[in-house]
């Protein structure tokens, strides 16, 4: 699985393909995607690092 890169308002974000949250740091998007695909749920410890831009 590879996180997706997305440009929002001129800023590069990384998207978890499982839950579609956006992260400014690739490492968190990868951790989110790992967790989401394994547990089919999000980890609050990970999603708190997500960008607010997505909502
Ligand atoms: Zn996720």
């Amino acid at each position: 699985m590879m996180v997706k890169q997305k440009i929002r308002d001129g800023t590069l974000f990384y998207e978890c393909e499982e839950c579609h949250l956006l992260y400014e740091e690739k490492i968190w998007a990868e951790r989110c995607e790992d967790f989401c695909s394994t547990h089919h749920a999000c980890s609050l410890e990970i999603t708190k690092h997500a960008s607010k831009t997505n909502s």
Side-chain angles (χ1 to χ4, degrees):
M1 284 273 244
M2 283 286 290
V3 295
K4 231 191 247 177
Q5 294 188 0
K6 272 198 173 175
I7 307 285
R8 278 278 173 95
D9 301 324
T11 305
L12 177 63
F13 292 98
Y14 300 92
E15 180 180 8
C16 168
E17 292 216 89
E18 291 290 320
C19 69
H20 302 288
L21 281 173
L22 297 176
Y23 294 87
E24 287 184 59
E25 289 167 281
K26 191 182 183 191
I27 187 70
W28 287 114
E30 287 175 344
R31 283 177 191 178
C32 186
E33 197 164 283
D34 272 359
F35 192 96
C36 288
S37 55
T38 305
H39 301 277
H40 300 289
C42 289
S43 163
L44 196 62
E45 284 300 299
I46 297 171
T47 58
K48 72 182 180 188
H49 294 276
S51 166
K52 306 271 187 286
T53 310
N54 204 28
S55 50

